[in-house]
Amino acid sequence: MYRTFFDMSRLPEGEYLTESTSPDGTYTLKAYLSDGGATTGYAVRGELVFNKGRKEKNIYWNYKESSADIHWQSEEMVEINGHSLHVPNDIYDFRRE
């Protein structure tokens, strides 16, 4: 049960917000807005796309956000809404704090 709750691959798809490609073109980070409905707030999901053929994966999930500000600091460091991640291995999930 615990593993299912924190599984990043089970996040809602959401509505497309924006995207940004790494300086060397290896990755694209796409951001989506998830509307939780009347009982919960908005959340932003960040999906890392491997531009050379690997399957995409969710690397960012944060509650009470409605926009995504994405900045690449290098080919493998991306900042989304103030959270720096070393791709492709780092993730940010507000539920794990």
Side-chain angles (χ1 to χ4, degrees):
M1 176 71 173
Y2 177 82
R3 181 183 165 128
T4 302
F5 180 73
F6 289 106
D7 187 351
M8 291 284 281
S9 68
R10 296 177 181 260
L11 298 176
E13 187 169 321
E15 178 182 325
Y16 175 82
L17 286 173
T18 189
E19 66 184 60
S20 181
T21 301
S22 64
D24 65 356
T26 301
Y27 307 104
T28 299
L29 184 61
K30 294 184 176 184
Y32 298 87
L33 179 64
S34 177
D35 180 359
T39 59
T40 60
Y42 288 102
V44 171
R45 176 177 68 87
E47 177 183 85
L48 185 66
V49 177
F50 297 84
N51 295 331
K52 306 231 192 273
R54 284 182 52 191
K55 183 175 168 43
E56 67 277 344
K57 73 178 206 175
N58 294 320
I59 65 166
Y60 184 83
W61 180 241
N62 203 12
Y63 184 58
K64 295 185 179 178
E65 289 183 341
S66 58
S67 64
D69 187 25
I70 304 168
H71 297 283
W72 288 91
Q73 300 166 336
S74 70
E75 284 79 11
E76 296 181 340
M77 288 296 295
V78 64
E79 182 179 293
I80 180 168
N81 294 346
H83 300 279
S84 292
L85 300 173
H86 185 265
V87 296
N89 298 319
D90 283 356
I91 62 167
Y92 177 80
D93 185 342
F94 78 94
R95 301 169 298 179
R96 296 176 184 240
E97 294 209 337

